Amino acid sequence: MSILIKPIITEKATADSELRNCYTFAVNTKANKVEIKKAVEAVYGVSVEKVRTINVRPERRTRYTKTGLQHGKTNAVKKAIVQLAEGEMIDLYSNM
């Protein structure tokens, strides 16, 4: 089971990483804070102070088509905001 799926690079997440040294990742929905902390420390080689998680619910949509109503939804996602120790940073833009 892979815990870290991908880093989330948005305007809000980038500002958070520059100002507060917090990085945002999309993680497995079954992962807990301890597993996320160990995974970030193992992959990026940094020390993690705090982990906050967010469960994003799926968005439901209804479309009106020739064949009738079509119901659908997006996938549920779990996000983790990881705060690193003072002086540490992750370079998300480097080619590994």
Coordinates of all heavy atoms in Angstrom, one line a residue:
M1 N 0.8 -1.2 0.0 CA 0.0 0.0 0.0 C 0.9 1.2 0.0 O 1.7 1.5 0.9 CB -0.9 0.0 1.2 CG -1.7 1.2 1.4 SD -2.9 1.0 2.8 CE -1.9 1.7 4.1
S2 N 0.8 2.0 -1.0 CA 1.5 3.3 -1.1 C 0.8 4.4 -0.3 O -0.4 4.6 -0.6 CB 1.7 3.7 -2.6 OG 2.4 4.9 -2.6
I3 N 1.5 5.0 0.6 CA 0.8 6.0 1.5 C 0.7 7.3 0.7 O -0.3 7.9 0.6 CB 1.6 6.1 2.8 CG1 1.7 4.8 3.4 CG2 1.0 7.2 3.7 CD1 1.1 4.5 4.7
L4 N 1.9 7.8 0.3 CA 1.9 9.1 -0.4 C 1.5 8.9 -1.9 O 2.1 8.1 -2.6 CB 3.3 9.8 -0.3 CG 3.7 10.1 1.1 CD1 5.2 10.7 1.0 CD2 2.8 11.1 1.7
I5 N 0.5 9.6 -2.4 CA 0.1 9.5 -3.8 C 0.8 10.5 -4.6 O 1.5 10.2 -5.6 CB -1.4 9.6 -3.9 CG1 -2.1 8.5 -3.2 CG2 -1.8 9.6 -5.4 CD1 -3.6 8.6 -3.1
K6 N 0.7 11.8 -4.2 CA 1.4 12.9 -5.0 C 1.3 14.2 -4.1 O 0.5 14.3 -3.3 CB 0.7 13.2 -6.3 CG -0.7 13.7 -6.2 CD -1.3 13.9 -7.6 CE -2.8 14.4 -7.4 NZ -3.4 14.7 -8.7
P7 N 2.3 15.1 -4.4 CA 2.2 16.4 -3.7 C 1.2 17.2 -4.4 O 1.0 17.1 -5.6 CB 3.6 16.9 -3.8 CG 4.2 16.2 -5.0 CD 3.6 14.9 -5.1
I8 N 0.5 18.1 -3.6 CA -0.5 19.0 -4.2 C 0.2 20.3 -4.3 O 0.6 20.9 -3.4 CB -1.7 19.1 -3.2 CG1 -2.4 17.7 -3.2 CG2 -2.7 20.1 -3.7 CD1 -3.6 17.6 -2.2
I9 N 0.2 20.8 -5.6 CA 0.9 22.1 -5.9 C -0.2 23.0 -6.4 O -0.5 23.0 -7.6 CB 2.0 21.9 -6.9 CG1 3.0 20.9 -6.4 CG2 2.7 23.2 -7.3 CD1 4.1 20.4 -7.3
T10 N -0.7 23.8 -5.5 CA -1.7 24.9 -5.8 C -1.1 26.2 -5.3 O -0.1 26.2 -4.6 CB -3.0 24.6 -5.2 OG1 -2.9 24.5 -3.8 CG2 -3.6 23.3 -5.7
E11 N -1.8 27.2 -5.6 CA -1.4 28.5 -5.2 C -1.4 28.6 -3.6 O -0.5 29.1 -3.0 CB -2.3 29.6 -5.8 CG -1.8 31.0 -5.5 CD -2.6 32.1 -6.3 OE1 -3.4 31.7 -7.2 OE2 -2.5 33.2 -6.0
K12 N -2.4 28.1 -3.0 CA -2.6 28.1 -1.6 C -1.5 27.2 -0.9 O -0.9 27.6 0.1 CB -4.0 27.6 -1.2 CG -4.3 27.7 0.3 CD -5.7 27.2 0.5 CE -6.0 27.3 2.0 NZ -7.4 27.0 2.2
A13 N -1.3 26.0 -1.5 CA -0.3 25.1 -0.9 C 1.1 25.6 -1.0 O 2.0 25.5 -0.2 CB -0.4 23.7 -1.5
T14 N 1.4 26.3 -2.1 CA 2.7 26.9 -2.4 C 3.0 28.0 -1.4 O 4.1 28.1 -0.8 CB 2.9 27.4 -3.8 OG1 2.6 26.3 -4.7 CG2 4.3 27.9 -4.1
A15 N 2.0 28.9 -1.2 CA 2.1 29.9 -0.2 C 2.3 29.4 1.2 O 3.1 29.9 2.0 CB 0.9 30.9 -0.2
D16 N 1.6 28.3 1.5 CA 1.7 27.7 2.8 C 3.1 27.1 3.0 O 3.7 27.2 4.1 CB 0.7 26.6 2.9 CG 0.2 26.3 4.3 OD1 0.3 27.3 5.2 OD2 -0.3 25.2 4.6
S17 N 3.7 26.5 2.0 CA 5.1 26.0 2.1 C 6.1 27.1 2.3 O 7.1 26.9 3.0 CB 5.4 25.1 0.9 OG 5.5 25.9 -0.3
E18 N 5.9 28.2 1.6 CA 6.9 29.3 1.7 C 6.8 30.0 3.1 O 7.8 30.4 3.6 CB 6.7 30.3 0.6 CG 7.1 29.7 -0.8 CD 6.7 30.6 -1.9 OE1 6.0 31.6 -1.7 OE2 7.0 30.3 -3.1
L19 N 5.6 30.2 3.6 CA 5.4 31.0 4.8 C 5.5 30.2 6.1 O 6.1 30.6 7.0 CB 4.1 31.8 4.7 CG 3.9 32.8 3.6 CD1 2.5 33.3 3.6 CD2 4.9 33.9 3.7
R20 N 4.9 29.0 6.1 CA 4.7 28.2 7.3 C 5.5 26.9 7.3 O 5.4 26.2 8.3 CB 3.3 27.9 7.6 CG 2.5 29.2 7.8 CD 1.1 28.8 8.3 NE 0.2 29.9 8.0 CZ -0.6 30.0 7.0 NH1 -0.7 29.0 6.1 NH2 -1.4 31.1 6.8
N21 N 6.2 26.6 6.2 CA 7.0 25.4 6.1 C 6.1 24.2 6.2 O 6.4 23.2 6.8 CB 8.1 25.3 7.2 CG 9.3 24.5 6.7 OD1 9.4 24.2 5.5 ND2 10.1 24.0 7.7
C22 N 4.9 24.3 5.6 CA 3.9 23.2 5.5 C 3.7 22.7 4.1 O 3.6 23.6 3.2 CB 2.6 23.6 6.1 SG 2.6 24.0 7.8
Y23 N 3.8 21.4 3.9 CA 3.6 20.9 2.5 C 2.4 20.0 2.5 O 2.0 19.3 3.5 CB 4.8 20.1 2.2 CG 6.1 20.9 2.1 CD1 6.9 21.2 3.2 CD2 6.4 21.5 0.9 CE1 8.0 22.0 3.1 CE2 7.6 22.3 0.8 CZ 8.3 22.5 1.9 OH 9.4 23.4 1.8
T24 N 1.7 20.0 1.4 CA 0.4 19.3 1.2 C 0.6 18.1 0.3 O 1.2 18.3 -0.8 CB -0.7 20.2 0.7 OG1 -0.7 21.4 1.5 CG2 -2.1 19.6 0.7
F25 N 0.0 17.0 0.7 CA 0.1 15.7 -0.1 C -1.3 15.1 -0.2 O -2.0 15.2 0.7 CB 1.1 14.7 0.5 CG 2.5 15.2 0.6 CD1 3.0 15.8 1.7 CD2 3.4 15.0 -0.5 CE1 4.3 16.2 1.8 CE2 4.7 15.4 -0.4 CZ 5.1 16.0 0.7
A26 N -1.5 14.5 -1.4 CA -2.7 13.6 -1.5 C -2.2 12.2 -1.0 O -1.1 11.7 -1.4 CB -3.1 13.5 -2.9
V27 N -2.9 11.6 -0.1 CA -2.5 10.4 0.6 C -3.6 9.3 0.4 O -4.7 9.6 0.0 CB -2.2 10.6 2.1 CG1 -1.0 11.5 2.2 CG2 -3.3 11.1 2.8
N28 N -3.3 8.1 0.7 CA -4.2 7.0 0.7 C -5.3 7.3 1.7 O -5.1 7.8 2.8 CB -3.5 5.7 1.1 CG -4.3 4.5 0.8 OD1 -5.5 4.5 1.1 ND2 -3.7 3.4 0.3
T29 N -6.6 6.9 1.4 CA -7.7 7.3 2.3 C -7.7 6.4 3.6 O -8.3 6.9 4.6 CB -9.0 7.0 1.6 OG1 -9.1 5.7 1.1 CG2 -9.2 8.0 0.4
K30 N -7.0 5.3 3.6 CA -6.9 4.5 4.8 C -5.7 4.8 5.7 O -5.5 4.2 6.7 CB -6.9 3.0 4.4 CG -8.2 2.6 3.7 CD -8.3 1.1 3.5 CE -9.5 0.7 2.7 NZ -10.7 1.1 3.2
A31 N -4.8 5.7 5.2 CA -3.6 6.0 6.0 C -3.9 6.9 7.2 O -4.8 7.8 7.1 CB -2.6 6.7 5.1
N32 N -3.2 6.7 8.3 CA -3.3 7.5 9.5 C -2.1 8.5 9.6 O -1.2 8.4 8.8 CB -3.6 6.7 10.8 CG -2.4 5.8 11.0 OD1 -1.3 6.1 10.8 ND2 -2.7 4.6 11.6
K33 N -2.2 9.3 10.6 CA -1.2 10.4 10.8 C 0.2 9.8 11.0 O 1.2 10.3 10.5 CB -1.5 11.3 11.9 CG -2.8 12.1 11.6 CD -3.1 13.1 12.7 CE -4.3 13.9 12.4 NZ -4.5 15.0 13.4
V34 N 0.3 8.7 11.8 CA 1.6 8.1 12.1 C 2.2 7.5 10.8 O 3.4 7.7 10.6 CB 1.5 7.0 13.2 CG1 2.8 6.3 13.4 CG2 0.9 7.6 14.4
E35 N 1.4 6.8 10.0 CA 1.9 6.3 8.8 C 2.4 7.4 7.8 O 3.4 7.2 7.1 CB 0.9 5.4 8.1 CG 0.5 4.2 8.9 CD -0.7 3.4 8.3 OE1 -1.5 4.0 7.6 OE2 -0.8 2.2 8.6
I36 N 1.6 8.5 7.7 CA 2.0 9.6 6.8 C 3.3 10.2 7.3 O 4.1 10.5 6.4 CB 0.8 10.6 6.8 CG1 -0.4 10.0 6.2 CG2 1.2 11.9 6.1 CD1 -1.7 10.8 6.4
K37 N 3.4 10.4 8.6 CA 4.7 11.0 9.1 C 5.9 10.1 8.7 O 6.9 10.6 8.2 CB 4.6 11.1 10.6 CG 5.8 11.7 11.2 CD 5.6 11.9 12.7 CE 6.9 12.4 13.3 NZ 6.8 12.7 14.8
K38 N 5.8 8.8 8.9 CA 6.9 7.9 8.6 C 7.2 7.9 7.1 O 8.4 7.8 6.7 CB 6.6 6.5 9.1 CG 6.6 6.3 10.6 CD 6.3 4.9 11.1 CE 6.3 4.8 12.6 NZ 5.8 3.5 13.0
A39 N 6.1 7.9 6.3 CA 6.3 7.9 4.8 C 7.1 9.1 4.3 O 8.0 9.1 3.5 CB 5.0 7.7 4.1
V40 N 6.7 10.3 4.9 CA 7.3 11.6 4.4 C 8.8 11.6 4.9 O 9.7 12.0 4.1 CB 6.5 12.8 5.0 CG1 7.3 14.1 4.7 CG2 5.2 12.9 4.3
E41 N 9.0 11.2 6.1 CA 10.4 11.1 6.6 C 11.3 10.2 5.8 O 12.4 10.4 5.6 CB 10.4 10.8 8.1 CG 9.9 11.9 9.0 CD 9.8 11.6 10.4 OE1 9.8 10.4 10.8 OE2 9.7 12.5 11.3
A42 N 10.7 9.0 5.4 CA 11.5 8.1 4.6 C 11.7 8.5 3.2 O 12.8 8.4 2.7 CB 10.7 6.7 4.6
V43 N 10.7 9.1 2.5 CA 10.9 9.5 1.1 C 11.7 10.7 1.0 O 12.6 10.8 0.1 CB 9.5 9.7 0.5 CG1 9.6 10.3 -0.9 CG2 8.7 8.4 0.4
Y44 N 11.5 11.7 1.8 CA 12.2 13.0 1.6 C 13.3 13.2 2.5 O 14.1 14.2 2.4 CB 11.1 14.2 1.7 CG 10.1 14.2 0.6 CD1 8.8 13.7 0.8 CD2 10.5 14.6 -0.7 CE1 7.9 13.7 -0.2 CE2 9.6 14.6 -1.7 CZ 8.3 14.1 -1.5 OH 7.4 14.1 -2.5
G45 N 13.5 12.4 3.6 CA 14.6 12.6 4.5 C 14.6 13.8 5.3 O 15.6 14.5 5.5
V46 N 13.4 14.2 5.8 CA 13.2 15.4 6.7 C 12.6 14.9 8.0 O 12.0 13.8 8.1 CB 12.3 16.4 6.0 CG1 13.0 17.0 4.7 CG2 11.0 15.9 5.6
S47 N 12.6 15.8 9.0 CA 11.9 15.5 10.2 C 10.6 16.3 10.3 O 10.5 17.5 10.0 CB 12.8 15.8 11.4 OG 13.1 17.2 11.4
V48 N 9.5 15.5 10.6 CA 8.2 16.1 10.6 C 7.7 16.4 12.0 O 7.9 15.6 12.9 CB 7.2 15.1 9.9 CG1 5.7 15.6 10.0 CG2 7.6 14.8 8.5
E49 N 7.2 17.6 12.2 CA 6.7 18.0 13.5 C 5.3 17.7 13.7 O 4.9 17.2 14.7 CB 6.9 19.6 13.7 CG 8.3 20.0 14.1 CD 8.3 21.5 14.4 OE1 7.3 22.2 14.3 OE2 9.4 21.9 14.8
K50 N 4.4 18.0 12.7 CA 3.0 17.9 12.8 C 2.3 17.4 11.5 O 2.8 17.8 10.5 CB 2.4 19.2 13.3 CG 0.9 19.1 13.6 CD 0.3 20.3 14.3 CE 0.9 21.6 14.1 NZ 0.1 22.7 14.7
V51 N 1.3 16.6 11.6 CA 0.5 16.2 10.4 C -0.9 16.5 10.7 O -1.5 16.1 11.7 CB 0.7 14.7 10.2 CG1 -0.1 14.2 9.0 CG2 2.2 14.3 9.9
R52 N -1.6 17.2 9.7 CA -3.0 17.4 9.8 C -3.6 16.8 8.6 O -3.1 16.8 7.5 CB -3.3 18.9 9.8 CG -2.9 19.6 11.1 CD -3.0 21.0 11.1 NE -2.0 21.6 10.2 CZ -2.1 22.8 9.7 NH1 -3.1 23.6 9.9 NH2 -1.1 23.2 8.9
T53 N -4.8 16.1 8.7 CA -5.4 15.4 7.6 C -6.8 16.0 7.3 O -7.5 16.5 8.2 CB -5.6 13.9 7.9 OG1 -6.3 13.7 9.1 CG2 -4.2 13.2 8.0
I54 N -7.2 15.9 6.1 CA -8.5 16.4 5.6 C -9.1 15.3 4.7 O -8.4 14.9 3.8 CB -8.3 17.7 4.8 CG1 -7.6 18.7 5.6 CG2 -9.7 18.2 4.3 CD1 -7.1 19.9 4.7
N55 N -10.3 14.9 5.0 CA -11.1 14.0 4.1 C -12.0 14.9 3.2 O -12.9 15.6 3.7 CB -11.9 13.0 4.9 CG -11.1 11.9 5.5 OD1 -10.3 11.3 4.7 ND2 -11.2 11.7 6.7
V56 N -11.7 14.8 1.9 CA -12.5 15.6 1.0 C -13.6 14.7 0.4 O -13.3 13.7 -0.2 CB -11.7 16.2 -0.2 CG1 -12.5 17.0 -1.1 CG2 -10.5 17.0 0.4
R57 N -14.9 15.1 0.6 CA -16.0 14.2 0.2 C -16.1 14.2 -1.4 O -15.7 15.2 -2.0 CB -17.3 14.6 0.8 CG -17.8 15.9 0.3 CD -19.1 16.2 1.0 NE -19.7 17.4 0.4 CZ -19.5 18.6 0.9 NH1 -18.8 18.8 2.0 NH2 -20.1 19.7 0.3
P58 N -16.7 13.2 -1.9 CA -16.9 13.2 -3.4 C -17.9 14.2 -3.8 O -18.9 14.5 -3.1 CB -17.4 11.8 -3.7 CG -17.8 11.2 -2.4 CD -17.1 12.0 -1.3
E59 N -17.7 14.8 -5.0 CA -18.7 15.8 -5.5 C -19.7 15.1 -6.4 O -19.3 14.4 -7.3 CB -17.9 16.8 -6.3 CG -18.7 18.0 -6.8 CD -17.9 19.0 -7.5 OE1 -16.8 19.3 -7.1 OE2 -18.4 19.6 -8.4
R60 N -20.9 15.2 -6.1 CA -22.0 14.6 -6.9 C -22.5 15.5 -8.0 O -22.7 16.7 -7.8 CB -23.1 14.1 -6.0 CG -22.6 13.2 -5.0 CD -23.8 12.6 -4.1 NE -23.2 11.8 -3.0 CZ -22.8 10.6 -3.2 NH1 -22.9 10.0 -4.3 NH2 -22.4 9.9 -2.1
R61 N -22.7 15.0 -9.2 CA -23.2 15.8 -10.3 C -24.3 15.1 -11.0 O -24.4 13.8 -11.1 CB -22.0 16.0 -11.3 CG -20.9 16.8 -10.8 CD -19.9 17.1 -11.9 NE -18.8 17.9 -11.3 CZ -17.6 17.8 -11.7 NH1 -17.2 16.9 -12.5 NH2 -16.7 18.6 -11.1
T62 N -25.2 15.9 -11.6 CA -26.3 15.3 -12.4 C -26.3 16.0 -13.7 O -26.2 17.2 -13.8 CB -27.7 15.6 -11.7 OG1 -27.7 15.0 -10.4 CG2 -28.8 15.0 -12.5
R63 N -26.4 15.2 -14.8 CA -26.4 15.8 -16.2 C -27.7 15.4 -16.8 O -28.2 14.3 -16.7 CB -25.2 15.2 -17.0 CG -23.9 15.6 -16.5 CD -22.8 15.2 -17.4 NE -21.5 15.4 -16.8 CZ -20.8 14.5 -16.2 NH1 -21.2 13.2 -16.2 NH2 -19.6 14.7 -15.7
Y64 N -28.2 16.3 -17.6 CA -29.4 16.1 -18.4 C -29.0 15.8 -19.8 O -28.4 16.6 -20.5 CB -30.3 17.3 -18.3 CG -30.7 17.7 -17.0 CD1 -30.1 18.7 -16.2 CD2 -31.8 17.0 -16.3 CE1 -30.4 19.0 -14.9 CE2 -32.2 17.4 -15.1 CZ -31.5 18.3 -14.4 OH -31.9 18.6 -13.1
T65 N -29.3 14.6 -20.3 CA -28.9 14.2 -21.6 C -30.1 13.7 -22.4 O -31.2 13.6 -21.8 CB -27.8 13.0 -21.6 OG1 -28.4 11.9 -20.9 CG2 -26.6 13.5 -20.8
K66 N -29.9 13.3 -23.6 CA -31.0 12.7 -24.4 C -31.5 11.5 -23.9 O -32.7 11.2 -24.0 CB -30.5 12.4 -25.9 CG -30.3 13.7 -26.7 CD -30.1 13.2 -28.2 CE -28.7 13.2 -28.5 NZ -28.4 12.9 -29.9
T67 N -30.7 10.7 -23.2 CA -31.1 9.4 -22.7 C -31.7 9.5 -21.3 O -32.2 8.5 -20.7 CB -30.0 8.4 -22.6 OG1 -28.9 8.9 -21.8 CG2 -29.5 8.1 -24.0
G68 N -31.7 10.7 -20.7 CA -32.3 10.9 -19.4 C -31.3 11.5 -18.4 O -30.2 12.0 -18.8
L69 N -31.6 11.4 -17.2 CA -30.6 11.9 -16.1 C -29.5 10.9 -16.0 O -29.6 9.7 -15.9 CB -31.4 12.0 -14.8 CG -32.4 13.2 -14.6 CD1 -33.1 13.1 -13.3 CD2 -31.6 14.5 -14.7
Q70 N -28.3 11.5 -15.9 CA -27.1 10.8 -15.6 C -26.5 11.2 -14.3 O -26.2 12.4 -14.1 CB -26.0 11.0 -16.7 CG -26.5 10.5 -18.1 CD -26.5 9.0 -18.2 OE1 -25.7 8.3 -17.6 NE2 -27.6 8.5 -18.8
H71 N -26.4 10.3 -13.3 CA -25.8 10.7 -12.0 C -24.4 10.2 -12.0 O -24.1 9.1 -12.4 CB -26.6 10.1 -10.9 CG -28.1 10.5 -10.9 ND1 -28.4 11.7 -10.4 CD2 -29.2 9.9 -11.3 CE1 -29.7 11.9 -10.6 NE2 -30.2 10.7 -11.1
G72 N -23.5 11.0 -11.4 CA -22.1 10.6 -11.2 C -21.5 11.3 -10.0 O -22.1 12.2 -9.4
K73 N -20.3 10.8 -9.7 CA -19.6 11.5 -8.6 C -18.1 11.4 -8.8 O -17.6 10.5 -9.5 CB -19.9 10.9 -7.2 CG -19.5 9.5 -7.0 CD -19.9 9.1 -5.6 CE -19.5 7.7 -5.3 NZ -18.1 7.6 -5.0
T74 N -17.3 12.3 -8.2 CA -15.9 12.2 -8.2 C -15.4 11.3 -7.1 O -16.2 10.9 -6.2 CB -15.3 13.6 -8.1 OG1 -15.7 14.2 -6.8 CG2 -15.7 14.5 -9.2
N75 N -14.1 11.0 -7.1 CA -13.6 10.1 -6.1 C -13.3 10.9 -4.8 O -13.0 12.1 -4.8 CB -12.2 9.6 -6.5 CG -12.4 8.6 -7.6 OD1 -13.5 8.0 -7.8 ND2 -11.4 8.4 -8.5
A76 N -13.4 10.3 -3.6 CA -13.1 10.8 -2.4 C -11.6 10.9 -2.2 O -10.9 9.9 -2.6 CB -13.7 10.0 -1.2
V77 N -11.0 11.9 -1.6 CA -9.6 12.1 -1.5 C -9.3 12.5 -0.1 O -10.0 13.1 0.6 CB -9.1 13.3 -2.5 CG1 -7.6 13.5 -2.4 CG2 -9.5 13.0 -3.9
K78 N -8.1 12.0 0.3 CA -7.6 12.4 1.7 C -6.3 13.3 1.5 O -5.4 12.9 0.7 CB -7.3 11.2 2.5 CG -6.9 11.5 3.9 CD -6.8 10.3 4.8 CE -6.8 10.6 6.2 NZ -6.9 9.3 7.0
K79 N -6.3 14.4 2.1 CA -5.1 15.3 2.0 C -4.4 15.3 3.3 O -5.1 15.2 4.4 CB -5.5 16.7 1.7 CG -6.2 16.9 0.3 CD -6.5 18.4 0.1 CE -7.3 18.6 -1.1 NZ -7.7 20.0 -1.3
A80 N -3.1 15.5 3.3 CA -2.3 15.6 4.5 C -1.5 16.9 4.4 O -0.8 17.1 3.4 CB -1.4 14.4 4.7
I81 N -1.6 17.7 5.4 CA -0.7 18.9 5.5 C 0.4 18.6 6.5 O 0.1 18.4 7.7 CB -1.5 20.2 5.9 CG1 -2.6 20.4 4.9 CG2 -0.6 21.4 6.1 CD1 -3.6 21.5 5.3
V82 N 1.6 18.6 6.1 CA 2.7 18.2 6.9 C 3.6 19.4 7.2 O 4.0 20.1 6.3 CB 3.6 17.1 6.1 CG1 4.8 16.7 6.9 CG2 2.7 15.9 5.8
Q83 N 3.8 19.6 8.5 CA 4.7 20.7 9.0 C 6.0 20.1 9.3 O 6.1 19.2 10.1 CB 4.1 21.4 10.2 CG 4.9 22.6 10.6 CD 4.2 23.5 11.6 OE1 3.1 23.1 12.1 NE2 4.9 24.5 12.1
L84 N 7.1 20.7 8.7 CA 8.4 20.2 8.9 C 9.1 21.0 10.1 O 8.6 22.1 10.5 CB 9.2 20.4 7.7 CG 8.7 19.7 6.4 CD1 9.7 20.0 5.3 CD2 8.5 18.2 6.6
A85 N 10.2 20.4 10.5 CA 10.9 21.1 11.6 C 11.6 22.4 11.1 O 11.8 22.5 9.8 CB 12.0 20.1 12.1
E86 N 12.0 23.3 11.9 CA 12.6 24.5 11.6 C 13.9 24.3 10.8 O 14.7 23.5 11.2 CB 12.8 25.4 12.8 CG 13.2 26.8 12.6 CD 12.0 27.6 12.0 OE1 10.9 27.3 12.4 OE2 12.3 28.5 11.2
G87 N 14.0 25.0 9.7 CA 15.2 24.9 8.9 C 15.2 23.8 7.8 O 16.1 23.7 7.0
E88 N 14.2 22.9 7.8 CA 14.1 21.8 6.8 C 13.2 22.3 5.7 O 12.3 23.1 5.9 CB 13.6 20.6 7.5 CG 14.4 20.1 8.7 CD 14.8 18.7 8.6 OE1 14.5 18.0 7.6 OE2 15.6 18.3 9.4
M89 N 13.4 21.7 4.5 CA 12.5 22.0 3.4 C 12.5 20.9 2.4 O 13.4 20.0 2.4 CB 12.8 23.3 2.7 CG 14.2 23.3 2.0 SD 14.5 24.9 1.1 CE 13.4 24.7 -0.3
I90 N 11.4 20.8 1.6 CA 11.3 19.8 0.5 C 11.3 20.5 -0.8 O 10.6 21.4 -1.0 CB 10.0 19.0 0.7 CG1 10.0 18.2 2.0 CG2 9.8 18.0 -0.5 CD1 8.7 17.5 2.3
D91 N 12.2 20.1 -1.7 CA 12.2 20.6 -3.1 C 11.3 19.8 -3.9 O 11.7 18.7 -4.4 CB 13.6 20.7 -3.6 CG 13.7 21.5 -4.9 OD1 12.7 22.2 -5.3 OD2 14.7 21.4 -5.6
L92 N 10.1 20.2 -4.2 CA 9.1 19.4 -5.0 C 9.4 19.5 -6.5 O 8.8 18.7 -7.2 CB 7.7 19.8 -4.6 CG 7.2 19.6 -3.2 CD1 5.9 20.2 -3.0 CD2 7.2 18.2 -2.8
Y93 N 10.2 20.5 -6.9 CA 10.3 20.7 -8.3 C 11.6 20.1 -8.9 O 11.9 20.2 -10.1 CB 10.4 22.2 -8.6 CG 9.1 22.9 -8.1 CD1 9.1 23.7 -7.0 CD2 7.9 22.7 -8.8 CE1 7.9 24.3 -6.6 CE2 6.7 23.3 -8.4 CZ 6.7 24.1 -7.3 OH 5.6 24.7 -6.9
S94 N 12.4 19.4 -8.0 CA 13.6 18.8 -8.5 C 13.3 17.5 -9.2 O 12.3 16.8 -8.9 CB 14.6 18.6 -7.4 OG 14.1 17.6 -6.5
N95 N 14.1 17.1 -10.2 CA 13.9 15.9 -10.9 C 14.7 14.8 -10.1 O 15.9 14.8 -10.0 CB 14.5 15.9 -12.3 CG 13.7 16.9 -13.2 OD1 12.5 17.1 -12.9 ND2 14.3 17.5 -14.1
M96 N 13.9 13.8 -9.6 CA 14.5 12.7 -8.8 C 15.1 11.7 -9.7 O 14.6 11.2 -10.6 CB 13.5 12.2 -7.9 CG 13.2 13.1 -6.8 SD 12.0 12.2 -5.7 CE 12.1 13.1 -4.3

